[in-house]
Amino acid sequence: MRQRLSIEDYTTGILAGDRIMLSQAITVTESRLPADKELAAAILKEILPHSGNAFRIGITGVPGVGKSTFIESFGNYLTSEGMRVAVLAVDPSSQKSKGSILGDKTRMEKLAHNPMAYIRPSANGLFLGGIAKSTREIMLLCEAAGYDIILIETVGVGQSETLVKSITDFFLLLMLAGAGDELQGIKKGIMEMADAIAINKADGDNVMAVNHAISAYQNALHLFPKSESGFLTKVLPCSALMENGMDIIWALIQEYEQVTRANGFFHQNRQKQNINWMHDQIREALDDLFYGDPKVKTKLQELEHSVKEGKELPGSAAQDLLDVFLTK
Amino acid sequence: MRQRLSIEDYTTGILAGDRIMLSQAITVTESRLPADKELAAAILKEILPHSGNAFRIGITGVPGVGKSTFIESFGNYLTSEGMRVAVLAVDPSSQKSKGSILGDKTRMEKLAHNPMAYIRPSANGLFLGGIAKSTREIMLLCEAAGYDIILIETVGVGQSETLVKSITDFFLLLMLAGAGDELQGIKKGIMEMADAIAINKADGDNVMAVNHAISAYQNALHLFPKSESGFLTKVLPCSALMENGMDIIWALIQEYEQVTRANGFFHQNRQKQNINWMHDQIREALDDLFYGDPKVKTKLQELEHSVKEGKELPGSAAQDLLDVFLTK
């Protein structure tokens, strides 16, 4: 049985950078118990003025690309430069058999024991909406606890990368040389979302292949539309295993931050993210009200098949469901 | 004052391929009057079993790429092959100063006078949601009237192309050679949405540049993830002005249809589109209820600024608004 502390205990602890208090507060925000929800809201309200100061980096790539090794290597590089680093994961698939990417901290052994770093595996048993909410909140808590860089890891195969893009300042895509087969797993649209692409495993015999991949991708990206940020997507080599290239990637991210702070995109993007977050939560709550309604559920089952097969108009089915919902 | 006919008059007329009846029925579906809404729903219900038989093609590209000329040329090619062609436009920007792409039918003079073709400019004064609904409905009406091919034109600069992608079977992106400047206007993600890219203005001195562009794009697209359809995005040359390349584009589209019908994607995609359409309409109606509520409106104005600036938690602002909404 977990013991609840007072709001003050949590907030004072978090603001003092107490990792145990931070972990406990995160557990509270992830809880579904009504008493915890109230407590979480109160803690978040208190720490809000102290949040927002970290640089938020999303990191994605298909399984096998070396994400855990990259984060281990990049995280240790950042702490060696004097920064405090928090690592979060958005991994809805962990509900299934695959297991959480960060569930096994031993995959980031050095970082897990680094006093300047904080690793939080993703909560189990949450749907994407729940993960979105809790990841955003955990990010704010980590910021209030004084972390300078938030790394959010996700697998680039589902909807989670759109979510991570919507809560971060910079989106890094990890890839391997020899494009083709390993791309089968990645979702369309992710490459165009990336602010930078790092081609991993640039070591040993693979260096030539990586250099070739870099020029191929760089050429390809020139053909694609420019990002709203005004920053041209760059492709860089790295070897997470050999801890090579971390400095160059960090220099690029710093350049991105300078450019986007100077042209106003950084601030506008954060503002837009805040507003979208509010509307997302409203939409989610309305969805819950609607789709959670027992009468709607029954009617929906009835209609879904005929709509799918084009035997019922989607518009009139929607109207029928709304009528059922609004009739009390 | 427009006179309303009976449901039977409209449906019999549409099913007989009567263009005047089709146009009048479309006007009914675009109307906001409650009596028209009821009538439109009844007409759509009647024609529904006769819809769905056309192949639906979305066409996008930035202004200047030659969309109108392309549709004129492609439409005439299709009718010369014995197909009946309906041309619709999704153009939310027409509300602003720009003017509707298809507003001026003289830009497609030959097609406008082609008895095998039907051109319907987009309605004015509708928001994207309204356009989505009416375009989908107009498409069904045109199908019931016996059109074999639906061409839906849009400008690839806003949200309208996502909408067009979500209601069509095939998405064609028109581009020009000399990639760079003309891409500034196109939105990120659109290139990855395309099932094919046609490089227009492959005529005269420009042929070399077009061939160069084709190999560049084709190489670039190889680096990108495969589409769910199982069909590899192809890049083709055309000259809408000289009416060249229309046969090759049509052959490609036919190949796409064969492949996706054989692998089941065509059917699954239509089913998914129908289901999404229903849920989109539900979401839109819930949004209207929520954001149309006067108490919500007042409170939202109050909260929006502080959420934007990160002074109020998006989550708690959402909760406040929901409380206001649910208190009767």
Side-chain angles (χ1 to χ4, degrees):
Chain A
M1 189 67 191
R2 177 168 51 87
Q3 205 192 322
R4 281 187 200 97
L5 305 172
S6 74
I7 301 167
E8 289 68 29
D9 288 339
Y10 288 113
T11 51
T12 317
I14 292 167
L15 293 177
D18 180 332
R19 298 158 72 106
I20 294 168
M21 279 302 167
L22 174 62
S23 294
Q24 289 189 0
I26 290 174
T27 305
V28 173
T29 67
E30 287 174 342
S31 164
R32 290 170 179 187
L33 299 175
D36 282 334
K37 282 192 177 180
E38 252 180 66
L39 181 57
I43 297 169
L44 285 163
K45 199 182 154 95
E46 288 301 314
I47 60 93
L48 187 64
H50 307 279
S51 70
N53 298 320
F55 192 80
R56 304 160 179 174
I57 303 172
I59 297 175
T60 193
V62 294
V65 79
K67 274 192 305 300
S68 299
T69 316
F70 178 83
I71 289 174
E72 164 102 336
S73 181
F74 192 54
N76 281 315
Y77 171 78
L78 294 174
T79 61
S80 77
E81 292 285 305
M83 285 164 275
R84 297 184 69 203
V85 178
V87 181
L88 315 176
V90 169
D91 180 22
S93 64
S94 68
Q95 302 157 56
K96 296 173 198 160
S97 57
K98 288 182 180 175
S100 167
I101 340 173
L102 288 173
D104 190 2
K105 279 198 195 177
T106 57
R107 292 176 67 189
M108 299 188 190
E109 212 173 331
K110 278 204 289 182
L111 201 60
H113 292 99
N114 184 329
M116 303 276 280
Y118 176 78
I119 300 182
R120 178 77 185 193
S122 65
N124 287 315
L126 287 177
F127 287 102
L128 194 63
I131 291 173
K133 187 170 177 302
S134 80
T135 307
R136 283 159 161 164
E137 291 173 351
I138 295 167
M139 186 171 75
L140 299 182
L141 292 170
C142 291
E143 289 178 341
Y147 290 93
D148 306 297
I149 305 287
I150 314 284
L151 302 180
I152 307 183
E153 180 186 12
T154 187
V155 184
V157 293
Q159 292 184 285
S160 52
E161 70 292 330
T162 314
L163 159 64
V164 172
K165 172 89 180 169
S166 79
I167 62 176
T168 51
D169 302 314
F170 188 91
F171 199 60
L172 177 68
L173 172 61
L174 291 181
M175 293 190 72
L176 295 176
D181 289 349
E182 78 276 5
L183 271 176
Q184 304 292 337
I186 217 173
K187 233 186 81 184
K188 279 234 167 206
I190 292 189
M191 288 194 58
E192 285 193 53
M193 275 198 305
D195 297 305
I197 297 175
I199 315 276
N200 194 19
K201 305 193 182 175
D203 40 46
D205 294 346
N206 205 31
V207 171
M208 284 271 287
V210 169
N211 287 337
H212 183 77
I214 287 172
S215 52
Y217 280 111
Q218 200 71 74
N219 283 337
L221 288 165
H222 276 302
L223 296 171
F224 281 67
K226 262 196 188 152
S227 164
E228 265 181 278
S229 67
F231 190 85
L232 224 71
T233 308
K234 292 224 173 59
V235 191
L236 297 172
C238 72
S239 166
L241 194 68
M242 310 301 285
E243 305 187 9
N244 278 338
M246 300 302 131
D247 49 348
I248 300 170
I249 292 171
W250 175 238
L252 181 76
I253 293 173
Q254 281 182 298
E255 190 196 329
Y256 176 91
E257 189 179 354
Q258 273 166 19
V259 169
T260 57
R261 279 198 190 272
N263 69 15
F265 178 80
F266 184 90
H267 186 59
Q268 284 156 26
N269 189 45
R270 284 245 176 136
Q271 285 189 328
K272 208 171 85 185
Q273 288 181 344
N274 282 337
I275 289 287
N276 288 347
W277 180 355
M278 177 179 76
H279 292 298
D280 284 354
Q281 294 224 51
I282 289 169
R283 208 152 288 142
E284 222 169 88
L286 292 175
D287 269 17
D288 285 350
L289 277 176
F290 184 84
Y291 292 104
D293 185 305
K295 286 170 296 166
V296 169
K297 275 186 187 170
T298 314
K299 189 83 186 165
L300 184 60
Q301 266 191 332
E302 211 182 296
L303 290 170
E304 211 153 28
H305 183 74
S306 34
V307 167
K308 226 177 178 177
E309 295 302 336
K311 283 170 188 149
E312 172 99 35
L313 275 165
S316 70
Q319 194 53 60
D320 286 358
L321 287 166
L322 282 158
D323 290 345
V324 162
F325 177 66
L326 294 172
T327 311
K328 289 293 155 193
Chain B
M1 190 67 192
R2 175 169 52 90
Q3 206 193 322
R4 282 190 199 95
L5 306 172
S6 74
I7 300 167
E8 288 69 28
D9 288 339
Y10 287 113
T11 51
T12 317
I14 291 167
L15 293 177
D18 181 331
R19 298 159 70 105
I20 294 167
M21 279 302 167
L22 174 61
S23 294
Q24 289 188 0
I26 290 175
T27 305
V28 173
T29 66
E30 288 175 340
S31 164
R32 290 171 179 187
L33 300 174
D36 281 334
K37 282 191 176 181
E38 252 180 69
L39 180 57
I43 297 169
L44 285 163
K45 200 183 154 96
E46 287 301 313
I47 61 92
L48 187 64
H50 307 279
S51 70
N53 297 319
F55 192 81
R56 304 160 179 175
I57 303 172
I59 297 174
T60 193
V62 294
V65 77
K67 275 193 304 301
S68 298
T69 315
F70 179 84
I71 290 174
E72 165 103 337
S73 182
F74 193 53
N76 281 314
Y77 171 79
L78 295 173
T79 61
S80 77
E81 293 284 305
M83 285 165 273
R84 297 183 69 203
V85 178
V87 181
L88 314 177
V90 169
D91 180 20
S93 64
S94 69
Q95 302 155 56
K96 298 175 196 160
S97 56
K98 288 179 178 176
S100 167
I101 342 172
L102 288 173
D104 190 1
K105 279 199 198 177
T106 56
R107 292 176 68 189
M108 299 188 191
E109 212 173 334
K110 278 204 290 182
L111 201 60
H113 292 98
N114 184 329
M116 302 276 280
Y118 176 78
I119 300 181
R120 178 75 186 194
S122 65
N124 286 315
L126 287 179
F127 288 101
L128 194 63
I131 292 172
K133 187 169 178 300
S134 79
T135 307
R136 282 161 160 163
E137 291 173 351
I138 295 168
M139 186 171 76
L140 299 181
L141 293 169
C142 291
E143 289 178 340
Y147 290 94
D148 307 296
I149 306 286
I150 314 285
L151 301 179
I152 307 184
E153 180 186 11
T154 187
V155 184
V157 292
Q159 292 184 283
S160 51
E161 70 292 332
T162 313
L163 160 64
V164 171
K165 173 87 182 170
S166 79
I167 61 177
T168 52
D169 303 313
F170 188 92
F171 198 61
L172 178 68
L173 171 62
L174 291 180
M175 294 190 73
L176 295 176
D181 289 350
E182 78 277 4
L183 271 177
Q184 303 293 337
I186 216 172
K187 232 186 80 181
K188 279 235 166 204
I190 292 189
M191 288 193 58
E192 285 194 52
M193 276 199 284
D195 296 305
I197 297 175
I199 315 275
N200 195 17
K201 306 194 181 175
D203 41 44
D205 293 346
N206 205 32
V207 172
M208 283 270 288
V210 169
N211 287 337
H212 183 77
I214 287 171
S215 51
Y217 280 111
Q218 199 71 74
N219 282 338
L221 289 165
H222 276 303
L223 295 173
F224 281 68
K226 262 195 188 153
S227 166
E228 265 182 280
S229 66
F231 190 84
L232 223 72
T233 308
K234 292 226 173 57
V235 191
L236 297 171
C238 73
S239 165
L241 194 69
M242 310 302 284
E243 304 186 9
N244 278 338
M246 300 302 132
D247 49 348
I248 299 171
I249 292 171
W250 176 237
L252 181 75
I253 293 174
Q254 282 182 297
E255 190 197 330
Y256 175 91
E257 190 179 354
Q258 273 165 20
V259 169
T260 57
R261 279 196 190 272
N263 69 14
F265 178 80
F266 184 91
H267 186 59
Q268 284 156 25
N269 188 44
R270 284 243 177 138
Q271 285 188 328
K272 208 171 83 183
Q273 288 181 343
N274 282 337
I275 289 287
N276 288 346
W277 178 356
M278 178 179 76
H279 293 297
D280 284 353
Q281 295 222 55
I282 288 168
R283 208 151 288 144
E284 221 168 87
L286 291 175
D287 269 15
D288 286 350
L289 276 175
F290 184 83
Y291 291 104
D293 185 303
K295 287 171 296 166
V296 169
K297 275 186 188 168
T298 314
K299 189 84 187 164
L300 183 60
Q301 266 191 333
E302 213 181 294
L303 290 170
E304 212 154 27
H305 183 72
S306 34
V307 167
K308 227 179 179 174
E309 295 303 336
K311 284 171 189 148
E312 172 100 35
L313 276 166
S316 70
Q319 196 52 59
D320 286 359
L321 288 165
L322 282 158
D323 290 343
V324 162
F325 177 66
L326 295 172
T327 312
K328 289 293 156 193

